[in-house]
Amino acid sequence: MTDVTASPSRIAGDPEEFQLAFEQAPIGIALVAPDGRFLWVNAALSRICGYPAAELLRLTFQDITHPEDLDADLAQVEEMIAGSITAYTMEKRYFHARGHEVPVQLDVSLVRAPDGSPRYFISHVQDITERRGTRDALASAHDALRASQQRFAALVERSTDIICIIDEQGCIAYHSPAAERLLGYLPGSWLGTPFTAVVHPEDQAGLNETFRRLVLDPTHTPLTEVRVTTADGDWRHVEIVATNRLSDPAVGGIVANVRDVTERSEAATRLAWQAFHDSLTGLPNRALLADRLGHAVERARRAGDLTALLFLDLDRFKLVNDSMGHEAGDLLLIEVAQRLQQAVRTGDSVARLGGDEFVVLVESVGETDEVSALAERIGDVVSAPIQLPQGMVTVTASIGIAYDSGRGPEHLLRDADTALYRAKDKGRNRYHVFTESLRTAALRRMTAEQELRDALEHGRLEVHYQPIVDLADGNVHAVEALLRIRTEDGGLELPGEYIEVADESGLIVPVGAAVLEMACAAMGTWRARYGDGGPHHVAVNVSARELASAGFTDRVLQALEGNDLVAADLVLEFTEATVIGADRPTLRAVDWLHQLGVGLSIDDFGTGYSSLAYLKRFPIRSVKLDRTFVGGLGVDPSDAEIVKAVITLGRSLGLEVVAEGIETLDQLRRLEELGCHFGQGFLLGHPVASTDLRFGGPVLPAFTRRPMA
Ligand code: C2E
Ligand code: MG
Ligand code: MG
């Protein structure tokens, strides 16, 4: 140290006291020369820097100051020397003797000589490691808080949900910007208004109640769906989840999270609509009709009115579908649906049950005449020509009408259906009103169907065989298989009505399959026992429905092969109606059977259609003259003429003619005279079980006694 300009002993009156105070001061104190050399240091400073005093006195403050803080320090020193400041305070870092940084706060003043030249600085140094730590911690805590607030704000502000705070009076105290985005209100315009102001009037009471409960019970977190209006006057569906935070001082309100669920809600509405409506015509479907019917019947009963149901079915709709395509069929149904809606009174419901079936529900009927008039009006509007892109079509409707009879709405639909069935039966394009006798008939049909189903399941179906006799020699030529139903109590039933209902219900398919199998099995047995001396073939009756059913030809083949038969051992009998109404797949099946060698026969010939053209187109082996003509022989001369004509026709077309229902010798004689080939009837043999049939020799002595032609 050169040129010491001052010594501490000269600074105070009592140098010792002064030195002691100086030495023991709790903060670091140094006297520093203008060039930076430490002139004097106290113990506290030695502690702060980690250097013993003697060592510090060989250093300058520059030596132990962090280089990054040095310029700032020197700049202050310069200013002080220049006189622009008299003291300065700064924070900077020292390097501790062990190498680590020590943050310090420096308070520096300058002592000048009487001539004003700088003599030395007095530096007060405080270690601020602790303070800085706290400050840094505070700063980072503050930063974290700010960040989290920002994050929260960003979430709230950017959320597609509206977040609202509602005060105890039910007014909006805060809402997130989504409110403006979603509902289109001007910023701030919603604030302070009751939160129900934008809620649909129908939903307000419910929401107020929810809110009231929530205020009373903070544990309650209800989920409510309401409609709210937008600034444009549209309605949106929103879902509200609310939490009571009234007692939370930071919130002081009800927090409501409002989410737009319009799309979801509309999808649900659409689904619900679809569940109760027919998607093609938009009319109510069966489910909705059932619901309305129930209510209508109840209302009408209270008021003492009648409820009527019109069950409507388009005649030959299938024809349009088949010939013009399903698209045309759909358009036709849509048009009919519209016409029906225009024809009914307001308040009456039109529903579509499916296919071409419609129902009109007529409420509070005063007079039944009104309903008949409506049925006629419907008949008229439906039968007016309909222009479709595929062409002009005209359809008619058959209508069944039923009135509520007090037995419940479900009966009404069934009764109307029964009446419709009757209207169709009577020739379509008309209406029929349900009566009790119709019900009895319907009931009988239902019982018959159940009985047949039961018999099929429990193996109570049997087949009896009636001989078809060669009228030339009186021998059994073939047999016809006829279905019999064995009742539970052992009785035997004829197939008549059973066949009808089985045909309607489709039950004829499994029943027919059973008959076919039994008939072929019996034929197999006769073949095995009698060889060519047995029946030439077994004839099995087949309905149109069976013939058109899937797998029919397979079943025939299986029955033949399974019983060691050839195709010629089997003849299938159909009615004329089956042949005339056959569609293309049915015709293909017929053709296939013919190619295979199965014989085809027309049953009940003469009762159906006058057109005989099909006889030429169809590969038929025989015709069976209906028994009504045979019954008329000797009674009605025109019957004899018909029989004669059919026999002549058969001859010219190469067809065998079988006369059915021969009951008397007189009939037999006349048929023989007319040259009929074959005959069948009670006179020649009743239908009997297969084991009761005898072959070989004439069935009647009359044949043997007859003079040979
Ligand atoms: P169908 O094919 O015309 O059969 C002849 C019917 O006339 C039989 O009645 C037979 O018992 C009856 N019959 C025979 N000879 C005489 C007679 O001299 N006088 C009178 N009054 N009737 C006679 P069934 O067995 O009651 O059969 C009635 C109809 O039921 C049959 O008429 C046939 O169309 C149908 N059917 C019978 N079995 C089956 C079957 O397995 N499948 C189908 N799809 N229909 C069958
Ligand atoms: Mg027959
Ligand atoms: Mg017949």
Side-chain angles (χ1 to χ4, degrees), residues 242-313:
T243 338
N244 181 342
R245 303 300 293 273
L246 282 163
S247 58
D248 179 345
V251 182
I254 304 274
V255 178
N257 199 87
V258 182
R259 169 169 299 181
D260 186 345
V261 292
T262 307
E263 264 168 46
R264 185 184 78 191
S265 167
E266 282 174 354
T269 312
R270 253 198 318 278
L271 274 180
W273 191 88
Q274 280 164 2
F276 289 106
H277 290 83
D278 163 42
S279 59
L280 179 68
T281 61
L283 291 178
N285 64 9
R286 187 184 289 269
L288 185 52
L289 174 75
D291 184 59
R292 289 197 183 162
L293 189 57
H295 290 303
V297 165
E298 227 169 83
R299 266 197 303 274
R301 280 186 198 163
R302 274 202 300 271
D305 282 337
L306 267 180
T307 307
L309 201 73
L310 278 67
F311 203 134
L312 183 150
D313 184 297

Side-chain angles (χ1 to χ4, degrees), residues 18 21-22 25-32 38 40 42 44-45 48 73 80 87-92 94 103-111 120-128 131:
F18 179 81
F22 194 82
I27 65 167
I29 302 174
L31 302 184
V32 182
F38 287 108
W40 202 88
N42 70 353
L45 187 63
I48 289 169
D73 199 357
M80 205 155 54
Y88 69 88
T89 300
M90 76 176 291
E91 286 180 13
K92 67 171 191 180
Y94 279 146
V104 294
Q105 180 180 309
L106 214 56
D107 293 281
V108 185
S109 52
L110 176 65
V111 177
Y120 52 86
F121 305 106
I122 304 174
S123 244
H124 293 83
V125 181
Q126 289 177 71
D127 183 342
I128 56 169
R131 195 205 303 167

Side-chain angles (χ1 to χ4, degrees), residues 541 573-577 579-580 600-616 618 620 622-630 639 642-651 653 655-660:
N541 295 282
E573 295 188 4
F574 335 104
T575 60
E576 294 176 285
V579 175
I580 304 280
L600 305 175
S601 177
I602 302 294
D603 208 346
D604 306 341
F605 187 78
T607 53
Y609 293 76
S610 48
S611 161
L612 298 174
Y614 71 87
L615 285 177
K616 267 169 52 187
F618 239 65
I620 293 160
S622 61
V623 292
K624 298 187 77 174
L625 189 58
D626 192 72
R627 69 166 175 267
T628 50
F629 305 117
V630 175
D639 281 343
I642 292 172
V643 173
K644 206 152 95 188
V646 172
I647 291 167
T648 314
L649 183 80
R651 280 247 164 77
L653 290 177
L655 303 172
E656 295 169 356
V657 176
V658 182
E660 286 186 323

Side-chain angles (χ1 to χ4, degrees), residues 183-217:
L183 304 176
Y185 293 111
L186 289 177
S189 65
W190 206 18
L191 281 181
T193 64
F195 73 99
T196 49
V198 297
V199 173
H200 194 287
E202 285 170 16
D203 299 341
Q204 284 183 2
L207 190 59
N208 274 323
E209 174 56 23
T210 308
F211 187 77
R212 200 185 59 80
R213 273 194 63 194
L214 184 62
V215 170
L216 294 176
D217 175 11

